[in-house]
Amino acid sequence: MSTTGQPNCSHIGHFLLSGIPYLEDFNLWLGILLISMYIVAVMGNSSILYIIRVDQELHEPMYIFLFMLSVVDLLIATTTMPKMLGIFWRDNKEIPFGNCLTQMFFIHFLSTLESGILVAMAVDRYVAICHPLRYSSILTNERIFKMSILIVGRGILYMVPIPLIINRFLKWKDNVLSHSYCLHQEVMKLACEDITVNIIYGLFINILGMGIDSLFISISYLLIIKTVHGLVEDASMKAFSTCTAHICAVLIYYIPIIGISVVHRFKNPTAPNLHILFGNVYLLVSPVINPLIYGIKTKQIHVGFKKVYSQVKTSRNI
């Protein structure tokens, strides 16, 4: 019997990630689905990065933040995809303890970065619509740089303690995780020791991160709606249409997070694997859909893509 008083507690050197129970016969097709989503995410976000990089007219605050969002989306997808494919295609479920902590940090860190960037984009839309004459004087390159440093610094400050408060546990009840990647809220439940600190810190981070970020985004759009309401119909529609892509990006970020939380708490006995399936794809939703939304809804990205395509076509004809 262990010193913790729990008979099944032991030291572990690795965790075992999971595929989707009872669907092992479809692992090949599930892997194909995931790699297809990853390819779309890489191609879409890489295209946006290239277009913004080469088109000088897109070196504005809105597109700088979009550039940052695409970088984060690429990193989120890349952080989880190799191991997920190893599970579905090679049945390689083992992940060393240290690697699990590293993956856990980057998943939570990048998710926090994405939330912060969405707030910065909301501020950009607020200034552009509510204070258009002061837009260039408010969102200067220096301020954008400071906002970027604040977003990254906040993410590091919030998430560095996560692997540390997991690493303090010495013994574990089990080492089998229900998802194909490591999350703090799931790993901590396997510890034999008191996890009160983890629960409180996780709640603290959720309030300071997603909670405050969603509040700032909501306030920004309330102010935008108030300003737009006072304009004539055509002007108000044109002004608000510039927010469409960002609103979609916000919904794409928050709905899967809320959805997976609800699915975990209210599991359907008729679909016991729904929360696992949902959890395996939700990290790829934003990286896949965001570039499609901005490519469709943002006229300047359309124009930039046409310019790049014309240049490539011209160079081939020479």
Side-chain angles (χ1 to χ4, degrees), residues 118-181:
L118 291 174
V119 174
M121 296 174 85
V123 172
D124 170 80
R125 290 300 83 207
Y126 162 74
V127 175
I129 294 173
C130 300
H131 303 283
L133 299 180
R134 299 173 56 198
Y135 180 78
S136 58
S137 62
I138 294 176
L139 291 178
T140 61
N141 289 336
E142 182 180 357
R143 282 203 175 100
I144 293 172
F145 178 75
K146 289 180 179 179
M147 290 170 69
S148 303
I149 294 298
L150 179 62
I151 291 169
V152 175
R154 184 191 72 156
I156 294 174
L157 181 65
Y158 285 1
M159 295 307 161
V160 162
I162 292 290
L164 298 180
I165 60 178
I166 288 291
N167 195 47
R168 68 192 175 93
F169 296 129
L170 299 177
K171 295 191 176 183
W172 304 80
K173 305 169 191 175
D174 199 353
N175 68 338
V176 179
L177 302 174
S178 63
H179 292 303
S180 302
Y181 46 84

Side-chain angles (χ1 to χ4, degrees), residues 167-240:
N167 195 47
R168 68 192 175 93
F169 296 129
L170 299 177
K171 295 191 176 183
W172 304 80
K173 305 169 191 175
D174 199 353
N175 68 338
V176 179
L177 302 174
S178 63
H179 292 303
S180 302
Y181 46 84
C182 297
L183 291 176
H184 171 252
Q185 55 265 41
E186 184 177 15
V187 172
M188 71 177 184
K189 293 178 181 178
L190 299 180
C192 286
E193 300 162 57
D194 184 13
I195 62 172
T196 302
V197 172
N198 298 70
I199 294 173
I200 293 174
Y201 190 74
L203 179 62
F204 174 74
I205 291 302
N206 282 333
I207 293 173
L208 282 184
M210 188 172 65
I212 292 180
D213 287 353
S214 60
L215 178 63
F216 275 126
I217 293 172
S218 300
I219 292 173
S220 296
Y221 274 100
L222 287 174
L223 294 173
I224 288 172
I225 291 171
K226 181 181 178 181
T227 300
V228 168
H229 184 69
L231 302 175
V232 297
E233 185 176 352
D234 290 344
S236 64
M237 290 297 295
K238 183 177 180 181
F240 203 74

Side-chain angles (χ1 to χ4, degrees), residues 235-283:
S236 64
M237 290 297 295
K238 183 177 180 181
F240 203 74
S241 66
T242 63
C243 302
T244 304
H246 178 255
I247 292 173
C248 291
V250 170
L251 293 176
I252 289 166
Y253 175 79
Y254 282 102
I255 288 177
I257 291 178
I258 295 171
I260 195 171
S261 177
V262 170
V263 168
H264 267 280
R265 284 167 174 76
F266 304 100
K267 296 178 183 179
N268 188 343
T270 62
N273 298 324
L274 180 62
H275 71 290
I276 299 175
L277 179 62
F278 197 81
N280 281 332
V281 300
Y282 101 96
L283 283 178

Side-chain angles (χ1 to χ4, degrees), residues 20-144:
I20 303 177
Y22 311 114
L23 294 180
E24 288 82 1
D25 292 341
F26 299 94
N27 276 354
L28 173 62
W29 298 107
L30 291 171
I32 291 174
L33 172 63
L34 290 174
I35 193 65
S36 299
M37 294 177 68
Y38 181 67
I39 291 171
V40 171
V42 170
M43 292 180 64
N45 286 288
S46 296
S47 298
I48 287 181
L49 291 176
Y50 181 73
I51 289 168
I52 295 175
R53 176 68 180 84
V54 300
D55 193 338
Q56 294 294 325
E57 295 180 5
L58 298 183
H59 292 182
E60 298 178 1
M62 175 182 175
Y63 302 105
I64 293 174
F65 293 134
L66 177 57
F67 188 95
M68 294 170 60
L69 184 66
S70 293
V71 170
V72 170
D73 279 341
L74 275 175
L75 292 176
I76 287 177
T78 304
T79 298
T80 56
M81 181 53 62
K83 191 61 186 177
M84 291 172 73
L85 288 179
I87 294 169
F88 286 106
W89 283 351
R90 299 175 55 196
D91 198 33
N92 181 15
K93 298 180 179 180
E94 184 176 310
I95 181 170
F97 186 85
N99 291 2
C100 184
L101 295 186
T102 301
Q103 187 188 62
M104 181 192 306
F105 167 78
F106 278 106
I107 288 175
H108 292 295
F109 169 64
L110 293 170
S111 182
T112 303
L113 286 191
E114 182 155 359
S115 181
I117 293 169
L118 291 174
V119 174
M121 296 174 85
V123 172
D124 170 80
R125 290 300 83 207
Y126 162 74
V127 175
I129 294 173
C130 300
H131 303 283
L133 299 180
R134 299 173 56 198
Y135 180 78
S136 58
S137 62
I138 294 176
L139 291 178
T140 61
N141 289 336
E142 182 180 357
R143 282 203 175 100
I144 293 172

